[in-house]
Amino acid sequence: MRNKLVSSVLVVALSGSILAACSSGNEDTNSNTSSNAGTTNNGAATTADPHAEKLTIDWFDGTWEDPVPTGNSEAVHKINEKFNVDFKPQYIPFDTYEEKLAVKMASGDIPDVIGMEEVNANYTKWAKQGAFLPLDEFLKQYESTKAVPDYSWDSLKVGGKVYGIPTYFSSKGGKKPIIRKDWLDKLGLKMPTNYEELKKVAIAFTKDDPDGNGKADTIGLGLAKGIYYDPSFGAYYGNAVWYHKNSSGQLIPGIIADGNKEKVTFLADLQKEGILQADWAVTAYKDIFKAFNAGKVGIWYEQPGNSGNNGVLFDVLKQNAPNAVVEPIPPFKAPDGSEGLTINGSWYRMYMISAKLKDQPEKVKRILEMIDYFHKPVTFEERNPQNEYFDWLYGGEGKGYQMVDGVAQPIAENRSNVAPGAYITEGGWFMNDEDLFTFAKIAKTPEDQKFQQTLADRLHSMKFYVNPTSRIISPLLMEKSGELQTYITDETTKMIFGERPLSDWDKMVEEYMAKGGKEMIDEVNKELEANHVQGEWK
């Protein structure tokens, strides 16, 4: 749920900034054409083939749009005209979507297209039951699917076959550690490169009045309940990363590995020093963002593009701390010499096609053309009313979006009525991290621009560890990892507070294994071996 929440927040935030992670790239926007829909030479959207048969297409998906898109809107009429279809969508807010989807699938009345946020136990079960159409033969027929890297397809395979078409989500996105660089400079400290240096910085940020107001009111290191966010500074230290190996040579989850033990020891030291805020174990992570924006937190987290209202608001921070300078903290060099962050499948949300269409190739083709059409990247420079494709996708200037200081901003209250992009998820695959560099171009303040540019530069040149479990499907991993992670989080929280000794670490790991961890680790490693997958740096 935590990863899903982070992904959801980012997608919502990107919607507020023209889905920047899903709308820039170095691919020619004119290269992606099909028999029923395509572009003219200037990128304008063409109309459907009038000689093709009109097809009814049922579409069932979750949504973050507010208001929720309906089946009778201007956007639906545009989609019908574009693709010569009778488009019948049904959208459910994501907070109740999984439950409604399970009911829909259990009824046997499976829609032509089904959307999901992620690979989970239901995806695996329904694919094995034959509910979805295998898509492997189509993957090299469309520009948007040709661009998907192999490790992303691996994460969607069940029994060696691909059943879902993913929507791009930057593999380098997600929360990164950040620091008040102006506080470092004021106190004569250098950027921390390991946990010992980080501890010294956190102590100084708490005790040495970095904001200069003469009060003991600053938080050196932000922390929230559930040890949220995981204060990792590299793949070696990540809780959800399968990087370390046990004595048998098996890969194991980071939460029971040496990297996490080092982090927990670091946090326990801060707790003893009285550096962590007293109520962190019952504090919501959103409240730490508020405190950061108030200029009271020195070390926290933010992602490329920011997180909207539940993130760092540079305009608010500037009001409260006019001299604030925020920079990303580079990953620490680990004991094994590695130095870099983690990437997973580089996608968020996917579409499946009902297996009942196996004998309806024309409908399958039309659906894939529709998805492909919406998965075309649009560069930052092309996101304006002069680009007919973009203008169509976003519902027209003054209706679905407006230009503000040269940047297209959605008109939230109108978007779900007029913008086809509110119905079929956008997001083509982008190369060379151009999507990351777009964030600096659309940032609203000079401070945010500088931060986004620095973050993009560092992420672009950094090595990343591909989490091997993102390339396989393990039912036990899906079933057990959440509850096992909660168990370790609860026990390590006790260790931080001194309620359980750190010397109990190995005993805690044995408890983890007895609660199903051993069986999960065995299955994961069996799947990794069977699929010839291993952790690797890219």
Side-chain angles (χ1 to χ4, degrees), residues 249-463:
Q250 293 177 307
L251 281 170
I252 59 174
I255 200 162
I256 61 170
D258 289 343
N260 192 36
K261 184 177 181 181
E262 184 174 344
K263 280 186 306 183
V264 172
T265 302
F266 155 75
L267 292 172
D269 288 345
L270 290 184
Q271 185 71 33
K272 291 176 185 176
E273 292 269 358
I275 300 304
L276 300 176
Q277 71 269 24
D279 60 348
W280 71 264
V282 293
T283 299
Y285 78 96
K286 296 179 182 179
D287 290 335
I288 308 298
F289 274 117
K290 293 177 183 177
F292 189 93
N293 293 328
K296 296 303 179 184
V297 178
I299 302 164
W300 189 228
Y301 302 86
E302 189 49 284
Q303 59 200 7
N306 299 128
S307 308
N309 289 332
N310 289 322
V312 176
L313 303 175
F314 282 88
D315 52 349
V316 176
L317 177 61
K318 184 173 179 60
Q319 292 175 12
N320 293 310
N323 298 319
V325 177
V326 180
E327 286 193 6
I329 302 176
F332 294 166
K333 188 170 184 178
D336 66 352
S338 65
E339 191 172 1
L341 303 177
T342 308
I343 57 174
N344 287 292
S346 70
W347 62 269
Y348 167 64
R349 300 182 65 175
M350 75 278 201
Y351 287 122
M352 283 68 64
I353 297 177
S354 172
K356 71 182 182 183
L357 302 187
K358 63 181 179 179
D359 297 323
Q360 301 180 57
E362 288 305 313
K363 181 178 278 195
V364 173
K365 180 181 178 183
R366 193 79 56 88
I367 290 168
L368 291 171
E369 287 169 347
M370 291 170 69
I371 295 172
D372 182 59
Y373 190 73
F374 280 79
H375 282 192
K376 291 193 301 180
V378 181
T379 64
F380 172 74
E381 290 74 19
E382 294 175 309
R383 279 181 264 146
N384 56 59
Q386 287 70 50
N387 184 308
E388 294 183 41
Y389 170 74
F390 173 81
D391 191 64
W392 179 86
L393 196 67
Y394 274 79
E397 185 185 16
K399 296 175 67 177
Y401 70 97
Q402 56 189 347
M403 299 300 294
V404 180
D405 297 328
V407 177
Q409 301 284 4
I411 301 175
E413 61 271 23
N414 294 346
R415 175 176 157 81
S416 58
N417 181 56
V418 300
Y423 285 74
I424 299 177
T425 307
E426 310 158 45
W429 238 262
F430 306 108
M431 309 302 168
N432 298 322
D433 296 331
E434 188 171 347
D435 56 313
L436 297 180
F437 289 105
T438 294
F439 288 125
K441 299 176 182 178
I442 65 175
K444 295 180 180 179
T445 69
E447 293 79 11
D448 193 8
Q449 290 173 356
K450 183 177 180 181
F451 170 75
Q452 297 295 340
Q453 186 65 49
T454 301
L455 183 56
D457 287 338
R458 291 189 181 174
L459 294 176
H460 179 66
S461 60
M462 189 182 298
K463 284 188 175 181

Side-chain angles (χ1 to χ4, degrees), residues 64-350:
W64 292 109
E65 299 288 344
D66 184 17
V68 173
T70 68
N72 183 21
S73 68
E74 183 177 329
V76 169
H77 297 315
K78 290 177 180 177
I79 292 171
N80 286 340
E81 180 182 13
K82 180 69 58 188
F83 299 101
N84 196 20
V85 296
D86 183 8
F87 183 57
K88 295 187 176 297
Q90 184 178 357
Y91 293 95
I92 310 293
F94 266 123
D95 57 353
T96 61
Y97 180 65
E98 286 191 17
E99 177 185 346
K100 299 290 179 62
L101 176 60
V103 172
K104 173 69 73 173
M105 297 297 291
S107 73
D109 182 20
I110 301 175
D112 297 323
V113 180
I114 305 97
M116 293 182 72
E117 283 190 283
E118 61 185 356
V119 168
N120 57 25
N122 277 334
Y123 171 83
T124 306
K125 177 180 70 176
W126 293 330
K128 288 181 176 179
Q129 290 174 347
F132 304 142
L133 186 71
L135 300 172
D136 302 75
E137 65 180 284
F138 304 104
L139 301 184
K140 299 303 180 183
Q141 297 181 24
Y142 300 92
E143 293 301 316
S144 62
T145 50
K146 286 179 184 177
V148 179
D150 288 342
Y151 62 83
S152 295
W153 288 127
D154 289 344
S155 66
L156 291 155
K157 288 181 179 179
V158 177
K161 295 183 180 297
V162 173
Y163 291 92
I165 296 176
T167 297
Y168 179 80
F169 180 92
S170 176
S171 60
K172 298 180 181 180
K175 291 292 189 292
K176 314 295 183 223
I178 59 175
I179 195 166
R180 284 285 299 272
K181 179 66 164 54
D182 57 308
W183 284 10
L184 284 176
D185 293 343
K186 180 177 180 180
L187 299 178
L189 301 169
K190 65 177 184 178
M191 184 72 74
T193 62
N194 55 50
Y195 282 103
E196 191 60 34
E197 293 176 1
L198 184 68
K199 181 166 65 175
K200 293 178 181 178
V201 169
I203 292 172
F205 277 7
T206 305
K207 293 186 174 182
D208 294 347
D209 192 23
D211 61 353
N213 69 353
K215 300 178 182 179
D217 60 352
T218 53
I219 299 170
L221 173 74
L223 195 65
K225 62 181 177 181
I227 313 181
Y228 203 102
Y229 294 97
D230 169 28
S232 63
F233 290 78
Y236 181 92
Y237 302 102
N239 282 359
V241 186
W242 290 60
Y243 179 87
H244 297 261
K245 292 183 178 181
N246 61 19
S247 58
S248 300
Q250 293 177 307
L251 281 170
I252 59 174
I255 200 162
I256 61 170
D258 289 343
N260 192 36
K261 184 177 181 181
E262 184 174 344
K263 280 186 306 183
V264 172
T265 302
F266 155 75
L267 292 172
D269 288 345
L270 290 184
Q271 185 71 33
K272 291 176 185 176
E273 292 269 358
I275 300 304
L276 300 176
Q277 71 269 24
D279 60 348
W280 71 264
V282 293
T283 299
Y285 78 96
K286 296 179 182 179
D287 290 335
I288 308 298
F289 274 117
K290 293 177 183 177
F292 189 93
N293 293 328
K296 296 303 179 184
V297 178
I299 302 164
W300 189 228
Y301 302 86
E302 189 49 284
Q303 59 200 7
N306 299 128
S307 308
N309 289 332
N310 289 322
V312 176
L313 303 175
F314 282 88
D315 52 349
V316 176
L317 177 61
K318 184 173 179 60
Q319 292 175 12
N320 293 310
N323 298 319
V325 177
V326 180
E327 286 193 6
I329 302 176
F332 294 166
K333 188 170 184 178
D336 66 352
S338 65
E339 191 172 1
L341 303 177
T342 308
I343 57 174
N344 287 292
S346 70
W347 62 269
Y348 167 64
R349 300 182 65 175
M350 75 278 201

Side-chain angles (χ1 to χ4, degrees), residues 446-516:
E447 293 79 11
D448 193 8
Q449 290 173 356
K450 183 177 180 181
F451 170 75
Q452 297 295 340
Q453 186 65 49
T454 301
L455 183 56
D457 287 338
R458 291 189 181 174
L459 294 176
H460 179 66
S461 60
M462 189 182 298
K463 284 188 175 181
F464 283 81
Y465 178 76
V466 182
N467 193 1
T469 57
S470 70
R471 303 178 61 184
I472 62 166
I473 290 178
S474 163
L476 278 179
L477 180 63
M478 295 175 188
E479 177 187 345
K480 291 287 188 181
S481 61
E483 63 184 73
L484 288 170
Q485 180 154 330
T486 297
Y487 174 73
I488 295 295
T489 299
D490 290 344
E491 295 306 304
T492 50
T493 297
K494 295 176 186 176
M495 290 179 177
I496 293 168
F497 278 99
E499 297 170 2
R500 183 171 186 177
L502 282 162
S503 58
D504 263 7
W505 186 272
D506 291 342
K507 182 180 178 181
M508 180 187 68
V509 173
E510 291 175 2
E511 294 164 357
Y512 174 96
M513 301 296 273
K515 289 179 178 293

